Amino acid sequence: MTHLITGGGGFIGSHLADHLLADTDNDVLLLDDFSTGAETNIEHLRDHSRVEVLRADVRDRNAVFDAVGRADLVYHLAAAVGVQRIVENPLASLQTNLEGTENVLEAAAEDGTPTFLASSSEVYGKSENVPFSETDDVVYGRTTAPRWGYATAKATDEFLALAYHDERDLPVVVGRYFNIVGPRQTGQYGMVIPTFVDQALAGEDLTVYGDGTQTRSFTHVADAVEITHELLETESAHGEVFNVGAPNPTSINELAERVIDLTDSGSEITHISFEEAYDEDFEEPDQREPDVTKLRETLGWAPEPDLDRILSDVIEERTDREVPAR
Ligand code: NAD
């Protein structure tokens, strides 16, 4: 079975590759332009006999059609990610997240190749109706704030995927990831856990944006990739949207304190405003928590909250390594 992972050089994609390769019947194609993904994520797979790396842009239609044509299953994870990157490069981000997805879905529809689409809890926008359920309405901010471009692009990707399912019989499943974290995630694009861990290990202040009472539900990447694979292989999941996350709302202040405890660091916590961190148009949702009833009913399980396991794994990875300059 040949599995194509777009964004395969990225954080989640590289873990998904490891997960799939544990089964010796699987071959893996990794398509990535390495814009945010790192060569180091897949260094250990370079000489693997069942892995092929395709350096390409998902906006390149021919490259996508070639790659999808060789695959039995497709996981579309390539995207411009990270709030900071979206705010700084709105145009390229939108093009990647819209055109790239349409290329993948159109190519997959040619042969009816089952496809997983990586969506995001961002799709819920600034809804306050926690925990978020897949059938909930979404609430977005104004179009002059680039932050909402990511949410609406992912929402449009979902519309496209469901339309390909309904009109072209594409077996496609949408997974809305909620703050997936773990080893290999970079702090470069505003991801909070690697940033806090690096700051704590360096004895620097941990920088909390806003007043730090905003909550997020963190999910271990190992659980996320297992669910991703299972959803795609579950026929009843096709044509459906699922929250993929562990319901464990943790405030950013609590997170910072836990990182300091677990690293035994003498760091302090400082707060800076979102306006200072991004721009004056910036809006940050207060709460993000998934309702995982549908996931549990479909697969028979959902990720358990385990912040300490996540933090220990990230701390272990980042201890004793050279910390890149921010
Ligand atoms: P990541 O940045 O590590 O992975 C994305 C990968 O896509 C990178 O390797 C990047 O180089 C590649 N990429 C970007 N633009 C590309 C292009 N034009 N052509 C080809 N490759 C391109 O981030 P991740 O956290 O692993 O995210 C994977 C997917 O999951 C994304 O679709 C993201 O939107 C989604 N997601 C992630 C989270 C999370 O918490 N990590 C949450 C919600 C959604």
Side-chain angles (χ1 to χ4, degrees):
M1 183 87 81
T2 300
H3 301 255
L4 167 66
I5 308 173
T6 73
F11 160 55
I12 302 176
S14 64
H15 282 279
L16 179 59
D18 291 341
H19 175 77
L20 295 170
L21 288 164
D23 179 341
T24 51
D25 286 337
N26 290 334
D27 289 344
V28 173
L29 300 173
L30 304 172
L31 184 149
D32 207 295
D33 71 350
F34 294 95
S35 50
T36 54
E39 302 276 357
T40 49
N41 288 342
I42 53 166
E43 215 165 59
H44 61 294
L45 301 177
R46 280 266 162 224
D47 298 322
H48 197 295
S49 58
R50 290 181 281 118
V51 175
E52 192 179 332
V53 179
L54 310 167
R55 185 178 279 273
D57 192 314
V58 282
R59 289 169 294 179
D60 177 345
R61 226 176 117 76
N62 291 335
V64 168
F65 270 70
D66 283 351
V68 171
R70 295 173 55 194
D72 300 302
L73 293 169
V74 175
Y75 307 82
H76 178 44
L77 271 58
V81 301
V83 170
Q84 202 169 310
R85 188 154 179 260
I86 309 298
V87 169
E88 285 166 10
N89 306 289
L91 184 56
S93 303
L94 285 168
Q95 287 170 336
T96 293
N97 296 352
L98 293 167
E99 276 174 45
T101 300
E102 169 116 59
N103 285 341
V104 171
L105 292 171
E106 200 184 335
E110 295 263 295
D111 296 324
T113 310
T115 299
F116 175 90
L117 172 75
S119 185
S120 170
S121 59
E122 281 282 324
V123 162
Y124 292 101
K126 50 185 176 178
S127 165
E128 292 176 355
N129 192 18
V130 285
F132 298 146
S133 169
E134 292 87 346
T135 49
D136 284 351
D137 286 342
V138 297
V139 185
Y140 295 140
R142 58 195 183 282
T143 53
T144 46
R147 181 204 215 298
W148 300 113
Y150 176 73
T152 45
K154 285 285 184 183
T156 307
D157 288 348
E158 292 194 9
F159 280 120
L160 275 171
L162 298 173
Y164 270 96
H165 175 268
D166 293 348
E167 290 183 36
R168 304 276 302 275
D169 294 327
L170 178 66
V172 63
V173 56
V174 176
R176 290 180 180 163
Y177 290 140
F178 278 69
N179 285 80
I180 312 302
V181 285
R184 294 186 204 150
Q185 186 171 41
T186 168
Q188 261 178 308
Y189 307 102
M191 311 308 185
V192 64
I193 288 186
T195 304
F196 279 180
V197 169
D198 286 350
Q199 289 172 328
L201 290 174
E204 295 167 7
D205 287 355
L206 272 64
T207 327
V208 171
Y209 295 166
D211 67 6
T213 57
Q214 67 274 23
T215 62
R216 293 294 177 270
S217 291
F218 297 102
T219 307
H220 200 296
V221 64
D223 292 336
V225 299
E226 204 174 329
I227 284 171
T228 299
H229 181 207
E230 282 188 31
L231 280 175
L232 188 52
E233 297 217 313
T234 303
E235 230 171 277
S236 63
H238 296 167
E240 299 285 337
V241 176
F242 293 88
N243 288 335
V244 178
N248 59 335
T250 306
S251 78
I252 303 302
N253 286 332
E254 278 173 75
L255 176 71
E257 281 159 19
R258 198 68 198 127
V259 168
I260 289 173
D261 281 353
L262 289 175
T263 49
D264 219 1
S265 167
S267 297
E268 306 276 330
I269 299 173
T270 54
H271 292 82
I272 65 166
S273 67
F274 285 107
E275 292 77 17
E276 218 178 310
Y278 297 105
D279 65 38
E280 61 191 22
D281 260 351
F282 195 80
E283 294 176 273
E284 180 69 1
D286 268 350
Q287 299 176 68
R288 286 276 161 81
E289 185 191 347
D291 178 336
V292 289
T293 310
K294 185 174 175 183
L295 189 66
R296 203 183 291 283
E297 280 172 4
T298 305
L299 297 184
W301 72 287
E304 292 299 329
D306 196 350
L307 185 63
D308 279 6
R309 174 174 66 122
I310 292 169
L311 292 180
S312 306
D313 285 356
V314 176
I315 290 164
E316 188 186 325
E317 181 212 22
R318 298 178 95 82
T319 303
D320 297 331
R321 79 190 237 298
E322 210 176 304
V323 179
R326 277 188 297 276

